[in-house]
Amino acid sequence: MSIVHVSDLHREYQQGAVTVKALRGVDLTIEPGEFTALMGPSGSGKTTLLNMIGALDRPTSGKLLVDGKDLASLSSSQLSDLRLHRLGFIFQSYNLIPVLSALENAEFVLQLQGMARDERRKRVRETLAQVGLAGMEDRRPGELSGGQQQRVAVARAIAGKPALVLADEPTANLDSATAQGLIELMEKLNHEHGITFLFATHDPRVMEAAHRVVRMVDGKVAEDLRK
Amino acid sequence: MSFLLTVAWRNLWRHKRRSLITATAMAVGVALCMATLAFNDGMFEAIFDVMIEQQLGHVQVHHPDYPKKRVMNDTLPAEILTRIDGEPGTVAAAPRLQGFALLGSETKSSGALLLGVDPEREPKVTPIGKRVVEGTFLPPGETGGIVLGLRLADELGVGLGDSVVAVTQASDGSLGNALYTVTGIVKTGSAQIDRSGAFVSVADLQDLLVLPDQLHNITILTDDATDIAPYAERLRADIASDTVEVQTWWEASPQSAQMMSMRDFSSVIVLGIVFGAAGLGILNTMMMSVFERTRELGVLKALGLRPTRMVGLILVESVLLASLAVSIGLALGGGLDAFLVLRGIDLSASAKEGISFSGVVLDPVIKGVVRWEGVAQVVGAVFFVSLASSLWPAIRAARLDPVESLRAE
Amino acid sequence: MVVLAMRNLFRNTRRTLITVLAITFGLAMVHLTITLQTGSYADLIRTGVSSMAGHVVVQAKGYQEEKDGDLVLTRTAEISQRLAKAFPEGTIAPRLVLGGLITSPRGSVGAAVSGIDGAAEAKLQEIDEHVVQGTWLTGDARGIVIGRDMADALQVGFGDKVVYMGQHGGATEVSSRLFRVIGIFRMGNADLDGFVAFVDLPAAQEAFGQPDVANQVTVHLPDPNRSPAAAAEARTLLADIDGIEVLDWKQALPELFALIEVDKTSGDVMLFLLGAIVAMGALNTVLMAALERTREFGVMLALGLRPQQLARLILTEGLLLGLMGAGLGLVVGTALSWPLVHYGLDYSAYMGDTYETAGVVLSSVIKGRFNPLRMTTYTIAATFMTAAAAIYPAVQVARLQPVEAMRHT
């Protein structure tokens, strides 16, 4: 079964008197284990599409199935639960909770999921080790570099074993070497653990690493390339 | 939950100054309320001591017309006392007879209210025994003794061991008189009794007034002060008649009951004013706290924090802030209360004799009384106000649109 | 500067409004309290002075200390005449209070019998207006006016006879005097209605057994503030009469003025703390408003603005906040006080029609009175307290280092 199934998706915004058509009939299907990059110029609708799939925003029309569920039929609490249990997020600006340590930032998703403390701790330590942050568990975001913060964000996104990780320009704030390291990390996670990734990005290095590149123009899918 | 608690606690310390200022403002409010309540309660306790404990007990039995008209012949037969003693729930019952007389020493006289009491039973029902400032209360089993109100003794110019003559019109219309020896002097706090009250044994007064085996009133203490009505109901069924009325203290003296509700009313006013002001402070703090974290809260939401839990997060934060305020406030207020209870406010310089209010003479050193209900009310008010004023910010936080808030600065 | 400060305040309209609202609320409560206090003090002093003392009180030496009814002035008529001449604008009221027993064929009551000048007291007190049956004192030497409850206890009505018995002025025998009830009053206070009676002064003097005596001769002036000066005048005027003391109102009623002083002081403490709570709220707002603009201030400093100028900007913001809050508070407080001044606050549900404090019987409907001086003082004080709350943030801002400030997020 596909993780994401989108058909004829439309999203319109009211901006003052003007109606902005951000998505104009997108069709897209993502299968488990894929490592997909969503490319396209600014305003092409990448982030909007990502927000739709992330259950952060609702479409104006069209069909949107995530993890087999029709999002239109879910309440806002059910959407919260879907995000909590089935989706992982990585943001351009890390967005860690500043008052929590690296460990706690990655941990709290599990905590919200209701996992028992010991199991949770074990899983988070393993995950932080996977992303290369062993030994930095107790540092607060302010005490970590940008790359390290983004690795914490990756750990947070994958710790809950989501069906799909959505990443919006994850490398945009990082220097080139750090960005390369992060991409390799995510590739490894995809390869070794079968985690499904969907990126919205401008970064050619991400495109290079991706197995599938979906190019968007003017709110529509213009090209869908599988390598 | 522990996650909410951790995040909430650490968030408070992110703006140490702001949280501390807000908590301090609340704490000052707590201390202020506690001190005001202790002072008020000190005065009210003194009033209740006189109005209720000394005079009314839990349940009153009398001739239905007696309280209103005070006619000497509206009496109860003394044997009712035995029946009250036998009633389950009776702890003690004290009979009383009263009448006005002219009390005279060698050179002076004064109109007095003679209170005929049972020297053995009376101290079990009312704290009168503890109000003796000189000598002793009427010795049980003896007759011929008299205990005078402090100011009455002054006015008559008599002391312990002196004799006083009582002259009055007896129930049969004759002019009766009797000689008593002063055994004690009491200071009750009741303006009327201190100025004109004199206790004699009920047997002596029955002789003087020619009312053999008659009583005007029986005051009863029951075994459950918090639930008097059922006892009164049972007693009423057993002994009430056309000439015998049973009343709870609040029925007998609606004024005392009103006084009690006035105490509660004035507490509410104080709490309302103080926490109205402090609540707006909390509202502002929590608003700032929510608005400056729009993005962060958006992330939490995107990661799957349910709206109800978001409300929980903000409320937990404000409860923590309130707890902080309460602990500082209890410390401050406890200090003030201790001062009020132990030292009190001393007005003796300007009002030697004390200050009277509603017929009760308050001691010139007004001491506070701490009621745990009062403290609980204050603490409750802090939490209530904190929760109420963070509800709006909390709902705002829960309604945040994750896409919008992620875009915030 | 003011415009800039104003714009800054309204960058975060909601926060500023909540703070202004807190100040407004706090200050409105202050105004309400002041109005109520001023009204009840005025009432207390007016009633207390007219019923229990006067602006000038002449009495037998030692009476103030001992309150012994046998200590009397012996040249009452002469003293009254001389005072009347010296204070033509005043009312002269001599008083002789007898403590004794009033009996009827069916009962007796210990009573305080006031021998007074009926016409003079009618001007000073309102008792004559509370006569519910018969008339007020008419100069009839056998007439007595008693309270409703006393009439019930004695089972007498209008026109019935009662006997007063008492022993006064060092007499060795109890004397008695017959009176006829010419009026019955009802004040709604148990003490007054049950235990006080009024007769004409000459009748009281006869019962006392000596002519021309009185406990006090009191002078009541239209301008109460003249009391100390008038007392001094009277002292000189009566210097040739031995064995008297002349007091002004505060000396005559120390207890009453002490009560007011205490109430005022505790009220002031409470109002001050309320102000502190509100000021802390303002401190938080100004502090946060300053801290979140750190970067902006860095830029301004870099552009050449002097630190003092920044500090002044913050202070101006605090002052504006205070002005808005205090101004609105004055308006809201006055509006809320209006009904209190015109209709009064009705406590009768709690205390009956009247209540007693410091010996003075007052109406349970407490009327407020505006006190422009205190209201203005508090308004100005609140404004400056808020401005003072801005000092700390202002100092913080003045200490900013431009480079660090600009790095601040």
Side-chain angles (χ1 to χ4, degrees):
Chain A
M1 184 191 66
S2 348
I3 290 177
V4 176
H5 180 79
V6 174
S7 65
D8 196 25
L9 199 70
H10 290 260
R11 180 64 168 112
E12 296 169 2
Y13 295 102
Q14 209 60 40
Q15 221 166 49
V18 190
T19 305
V20 178
K21 295 186 173 172
L23 298 178
R24 324 168 168 228
V26 174
D27 297 287
L28 182 70
T29 304
I30 294 184
E31 302 300 332
E34 283 191 329
F35 197 75
T36 311
L38 215 48
M39 311 284 295
S42 287
S44 62
K46 307 187 296 287
T47 300
T48 305
L49 181 58
L50 214 60
N51 285 340
M52 295 290 157
I53 296 171
L56 293 172
D57 197 2
R58 287 172 186 273
T60 310
S61 71
K63 207 163 180 57
L64 173 54
L65 292 171
V66 175
D67 197 34
K69 294 188 183 73
D70 183 355
L71 296 195
S73 68
L74 299 183
S75 73
S76 79
S77 279
Q78 286 168 322
L79 289 179
S80 287
D81 286 352
L82 178 79
R83 292 198 294 267
L84 180 62
H85 293 277
R86 306 301 295 153
L87 299 175
F89 289 88
I90 301 169
F91 304 97
Q92 174 178 345
S93 47
Y94 332 134
N95 283 336
L96 300 177
I97 307 299
V99 295
L100 297 179
S101 68
L103 181 95
E104 288 164 335
N105 259 296
E107 182 187 16
F108 84 81
V109 173
L110 301 181
Q111 210 165 350
L112 291 178
Q113 287 180 352
M115 189 180 285
R117 185 190 153 89
D118 289 345
E119 189 189 349
R120 198 167 79 208
R121 282 278 151 116
K122 192 166 152 264
R123 163 100 62 96
V124 171
R125 280 179 197 286
E126 281 169 14
T127 315
L128 283 175
Q130 274 174 20
V131 300
L133 288 177
M136 299 193 190
E137 288 90 346
D138 294 331
R139 296 216 190 153
R140 298 259 181 117
E143 299 163 335
L144 295 170
S145 71
Q148 289 166 330
Q149 287 190 52
Q150 195 62 304
R151 280 165 189 260
V152 175
V154 172
R156 177 175 70 186
I158 63 172
K161 299 223 185 301
L164 171 66
V165 173
L166 298 163
D168 192 2
E169 304 278 11
T171 56
N173 283 8
L174 302 175
D175 63 64
S176 143
T178 314
Q180 192 59 46
L182 192 80
I183 293 166
E184 281 164 15
L185 169 68
M186 291 190 284
E187 257 190 296
K188 192 181 95 183
L189 291 169
N190 171 256
H191 189 69
E192 291 177 7
H193 300 277
I195 298 171
T196 315
F197 282 89
L198 176 61
F199 300 89
T201 187
H202 280 112
D203 190 337
R205 284 165 306 207
V206 177
M207 197 163 56
E208 205 132 301
H211 310 154
R212 178 180 173 193
V213 175
V214 177
R215 192 175 302 278
M216 290 190 69
V217 177
D218 292 339
K220 281 184 180 161
V221 174
E223 187 183 22
D224 192 346
L225 264 175
R226 276 170 220 264
K227 294 183 187 167
Chain B
M1 194 62 206
S2 77
F3 160 70
L4 292 187
L5 210 63
T6 316
V7 174
W9 177 251
R10 293 197 187 151
N11 271 328
L12 275 186
W13 295 110
R14 231 157 131 184
H15 282 284
K16 209 181 277 177
R17 259 182 306 205
R18 180 172 69 196
S19 298
L20 279 179
I21 293 172
T22 311
T24 309
M26 293 286 275
V28 170
V30 169
L32 175 59
C33 283
M34 278 173 69
T36 310
L37 291 187
F39 186 76
N40 267 351
D41 286 344
M43 294 205 290
F44 277 110
E45 288 294 308
I47 293 170
F48 295 147
D49 176 75
V50 171
M51 279 188 162
I52 301 169
E53 288 187 43
Q54 287 187 30
Q55 288 168 19
L56 296 168
H58 293 162
V59 175
Q60 294 265 301
V61 180
H62 41 237
H63 186 287
D65 290 338
Y66 187 75
K68 187 86 200 101
K69 299 194 169 162
R70 306 260 157 195
V71 174
M72 205 191 298
N73 287 316
D74 288 337
T75 55
L76 304 166
E79 93 241 359
I80 282 192
L81 193 55
T82 345
R83 288 167 64 190
I84 292 171
D85 283 339
E87 183 75 30
T90 304
V91 169
R96 289 176 191 163
L97 187 68
Q98 30 183 281
F100 288 98
L102 194 63
L103 273 189
S105 63
E106 278 187 13
T107 54
K108 292 189 180 169
S109 77
S110 180
L113 173 64
L114 286 183
L115 295 153
V117 299
D118 183 325
E120 203 164 340
R121 288 166 171 265
E122 187 68 21
K124 291 182 188 159
V125 176
T126 67
I128 188 70
K130 296 181 198 129
R131 302 287 179 267
V132 176
V133 289
E134 231 180 293
T136 58
F137 196 65
L138 299 169
E142 287 176 33
T143 56
I146 190 166
V147 173
L148 300 176
L150 183 64
R151 289 180 62 189
L152 178 62
D154 267 359
E155 200 163 319
L156 294 173
V158 295
L160 295 180
D162 289 344
S163 300
V164 291
V165 180
V167 181
T168 191
Q169 192 167 27
S171 63
D172 58 2
S174 68
L175 207 60
N177 60 72
L179 189 70
Y180 302 113
T181 308
V182 178
T183 71
I185 289 169
V186 287
K187 186 179 172 208
T188 62
S190 153
Q192 198 204 346
I193 290 182
D194 288 350
R195 191 177 59 218
S196 70
F199 295 87
V200 296
S201 85
V202 67
D204 281 343
L205 196 58
Q206 284 167 345
D207 284 350
L208 179 67
L209 298 178
V210 197
L211 287 169
D213 293 327
Q214 301 293 299
L215 302 172
H216 283 138
N217 161 293
I218 296 169
T219 301
I220 304 166
L221 221 53
T222 67
D223 54 2
D224 186 0
T226 54
D227 199 16
I228 297 168
Y231 172 89
E233 213 41 63
R234 284 201 307 277
L235 189 64
R236 199 166 288 145
D238 285 353
I239 65 168
S241 69
D242 282 354
T243 55
V244 178
E245 184 180 38
V246 176
Q247 288 186 312
T248 59
W249 67 261
W250 61 88
E251 288 163 349
S253 170
Q255 202 206 349
S256 304
Q258 286 160 357
M259 209 46 129
M260 238 175 206
S261 55
M262 185 163 99
R263 174 182 69 186
D264 298 337
F265 176 68
S266 59
S267 319
V268 169
I269 297 266
V270 172
L271 289 176
I273 291 178
V274 172
F275 289 110
L280 289 169
I282 289 225
L283 174 60
N284 241 350
T285 300
M286 295 312 293
M287 290 278 273
M288 288 189 237
S289 175
V290 166
F291 283 103
E292 73 197 5
R293 281 187 296 154
T294 301
R295 183 190 183 88
E296 206 176 307
L297 296 172
V299 174
L300 284 176
K301 199 145 186 212
L303 292 177
L305 194 73
R306 284 199 199 182
T308 47
R309 286 196 135 181
M310 187 70 92
V311 171
L313 177 67
I314 305 300
L315 293 187
V316 167
E317 241 178 88
S318 94
V319 165
L320 284 177
L321 191 59
S323 309
L324 187 68
V326 163
S327 15
I328 305 174
L330 283 179
L332 276 175
L336 284 178
D337 276 6
F339 175 81
L340 284 175
V341 170
L342 299 176
R343 293 279 301 279
I345 291 179
D346 191 350
L347 306 176
S348 52
S350 38
K352 265 197 317 267
E353 314 244 320
I355 287 169
S356 77
F357 182 79
S358 281
V360 175
V361 180
L362 301 168
D363 206 73
V365 181
I366 297 179
K367 290 199 169 181
V369 166
V370 178
R371 280 184 317 131
W372 297 117
E373 300 97 296
V375 178
Q377 268 175 5
V378 176
V379 172
V382 176
F383 284 106
F384 174 76
V385 164
S386 310
L387 285 176
S389 50
S390 44
L391 209 56
W392 181 33
I395 289 172
R396 298 278 309 206
R399 288 220 186 120
L400 282 180
D401 175 359
V403 178
E404 287 278 318
S405 46
L406 282 172
R407 223 180 278 147
E409 39 170 332
Chain C
M1 187 75 104
V2 172
V3 175
L4 188 57
M6 203 69 184
R7 294 233 174 108
N8 279 330
L9 282 177
F10 281 96
R11 264 188 197 185
N12 193 328
T13 313
R14 187 164 14 210
R15 180 169 66 198
T16 302
L17 281 185
I18 292 175
T19 312
V20 168
L21 206 66
I23 302 173
T24 303
F25 174 81
L27 212 59
M29 289 301 133
V30 169
H31 292 317
L32 211 58
T33 313
I34 291 176
T35 304
L36 209 54
Q37 273 185 342
T38 308
S40 62
Y41 296 160
D43 202 23
L44 190 61
I45 293 174
R46 193 175 48 77
T47 317
V49 169
S50 59
S51 66
M52 296 166 57
H55 301 111
V56 178
V57 177
V58 181
Q59 54 194 18
K61 207 173 201 91
Y63 183 78
Q64 190 67 18
E65 191 69 22
E66 314 241 329
K67 286 279 175 326
D68 180 341
D70 282 352
L71 283 173
V72 287
L73 299 166
T74 48
R75 290 152 71 185
T76 307
E78 189 197 338
I79 293 172
S80 303
Q81 276 158 17
R82 281 162 73 173
L83 288 171
K85 213 169 183 183
F87 303 105
E89 77 284 15
T91 304
I92 314 297
R95 290 164 182 169
L96 175 61
V97 181
L98 308 174
L101 196 66
I102 296 179
T103 63
S104 75
R106 284 179 294 271
S108 52
V109 169
V113 177
S114 273
I116 54 175
D117 176 342
E121 300 289 348
K123 270 194 254 173
L124 301 174
Q125 306 188 45
E126 293 160 354
I127 300 179
D128 59 313
E129 291 160 27
H130 288 87
V131 171
V132 290
Q133 200 183 356
T135 63
W136 178 234
L137 294 175
T138 52
D140 169 1
R142 294 279 168 197
I144 188 168
V145 177
I146 63 176
R148 174 83 264 164
D149 295 350
M150 188 188 289
D152 281 345
L154 296 170
Q155 290 186 279
V156 295
F158 176 71
D160 288 344
K161 287 173 186 155
V162 295
V163 173
Y164 169 79
M165 295 198 296
Q167 186 184 17
H168 303 285
T172 49
E173 289 293 311
V174 172
S175 63
S176 56
R177 183 181 170 86
L178 184 77
F179 288 98
R180 211 162 35 79
V181 177
I182 59 166
I184 293 174
F185 66 85
R186 193 179 168 285
M187 293 287 285
N189 175 271
D191 264 5
L192 279 182
D193 292 349
F195 304 103
V196 174
F198 297 94
V199 300
D200 277 301
L201 182 62
Q205 288 167 338
E206 270 182 53
F208 189 85
Q210 293 172 28
D212 207 22
V213 293
N215 295 119
Q216 299 178 322
V217 176
T218 60
V219 182
H220 303 262
L221 301 169
D223 174 13
N225 293 321
R226 277 243 302 137
S227 174
E233 249 172 78
R235 215 166 281 135
T236 331
L237 180 72
L238 302 172
D240 58 315
I241 301 178
D242 286 335
I244 61 166
E245 56 192 19
V246 181
L247 308 177
D248 65 26
W249 59 347
K250 289 193 182 171
Q251 293 163 331
L253 292 172
E255 187 202 4
L256 183 70
F257 285 91
L259 179 78
I260 289 173
E261 216 40 60
V262 171
D263 200 71
K264 213 184 221 163
T265 311
S266 69
D268 280 344
V269 170
M270 163 133 190
L271 294 183
F272 173 78
L273 289 176
L274 188 64
I277 293 171
V278 173
M280 283 190 255
L283 168 59
N284 248 348
T285 302
V286 179
L287 185 64
M288 285 303 121
L291 290 184
E292 73 194 8
R293 280 181 288 156
T294 302
R295 187 203 285 265
E296 196 179 314
F297 289 145
V299 175
M300 289 167 98
L301 285 172
L303 291 177
L305 209 69
R306 270 179 288 159
Q308 298 95 298
Q309 287 174 306
L310 275 187
R312 219 176 306 145
L313 178 67
I314 303 290
L315 285 177
T316 310
E317 287 180 29
L319 192 64
L320 280 176
L321 207 56
L323 274 175
M324 286 189 285
L328 255 162
L330 188 63
V331 173
V332 174
T334 309
L336 288 178
S337 303
W338 201 261
L340 284 183
V341 172
H342 284 264
Y343 305 105
L345 187 60
D346 192 348
Y347 275 104
S348 56
Y350 295 111
M351 302 192 291
D353 289 346
T354 57
Y355 72 103
E356 178 269 346
T357 184
V360 184
V361 177
L362 296 167
S363 161
S364 296
V365 179
I366 300 171
K367 281 204 162 188
R369 181 186 286 197
F370 286 119
N371 188 333
L373 181 68
R374 283 187 82 198
M375 284 168 82
T376 314
T377 312
Y378 273 95
T379 304
I380 294 171
T383 310
F384 279 101
M385 253 168 122
T386 317
I391 290 176
Y392 174 67
V395 169
Q396 294 281 326
V397 166
R399 285 209 189 126
L400 286 177
Q401 297 298 316
V403 178
E404 255 176 66
M406 278 190 292
R407 217 182 287 143
H408 195 275
T409 47

